[in-house]
Amino acid sequence: MTSTAAGIRELVAKVHAGRIERTPSPTGTVQVTTTRRWSLWTPPSHHTQPGGALTLTGGCPHPGTLGITRCAVDQQITVPTGTRVRVTASTGDLVATDLTAASLEAHLTRGSITASFTRPPDCVLARLDAGNLRLPQSSARSG
């Protein structure tokens, strides 16, 4: 499923399990492509847009004691320059390339966070309880 939205100042992604890929938008609009993967239960996925903030949610039903199910909601997102980005996920990966955002806030319980910037951001807040964090030094330099 692919959707497009204009006039977005903030992107908030809250997913239980999955991969979030974020790239710059050449058109100035937000475009989201959602892919759901599952073995027993279909994970829900929702997009809401209150007042200039686009919120993406996706979750997986609790598998109980089975622990053998496969479930994920993957989001491929293009975001315009200057859009604030906040990501929260229980299990998964965040890959953000060539960010032009002034700030990035990410919290993952398990997984990996990889982010690169075209210019130094004002603020990066990254919390990862277990996994890998990679914030390579940008080729862009400030004055």
Side-chain angles (χ1 to χ4, degrees):
M1 174 178 81
T2 300
S3 59
T4 304
I8 301 300
R9 295 183 308 278
E10 179 178 32
L11 172 73
V12 179
K14 300 175 184 179
V15 297
H16 172 74
R19 180 178 178 89
I20 299 172
E21 295 183 32
R22 189 263 177 228
T23 56
S25 171
T27 63
T29 60
V30 173
Q31 182 172 337
V32 179
T33 302
T34 302
T35 305
R36 299 181 298 168
R37 297 177 284 127
W38 67 92
S39 57
L40 293 177
W41 298 283
T42 305
S45 174
H46 304 284
H47 301 174
T48 60
Q49 189 178 338
L54 177 61
T55 300
L56 311 173
T57 56
C60 296
H62 191 279
T65 57
L66 292 177
I68 57 171
T69 62
R70 181 177 68 117
C71 178
V73 177
D74 298 335
Q75 308 272 3
Q76 291 181 321
I77 307 161
T78 61
V79 180
T81 299
T83 304
R84 182 175 182 217
V85 178
R86 291 189 296 146
V87 176
T88 304
S90 295
T91 303
D93 300 313
L94 167 63
V95 178
T97 55
D98 297 332
L99 285 173
T100 55
S103 68
L104 170 67
E105 184 178 332
H107 176 213
L108 273 68
T109 304
R110 289 184 314 269
S112 66
I113 299 173
T114 303
S116 65
F117 299 86
T118 59
R119 64 176 186 244
D122 295 334
C123 177
V124 174
L125 211 77
R127 178 178 170 198
L128 183 60
D129 297 341
N132 298 309
L133 173 63
R134 185 165 187 264
L135 298 171
Q137 185 175 5
S138 172
S139 58
R141 302 268 183 212
S142 59

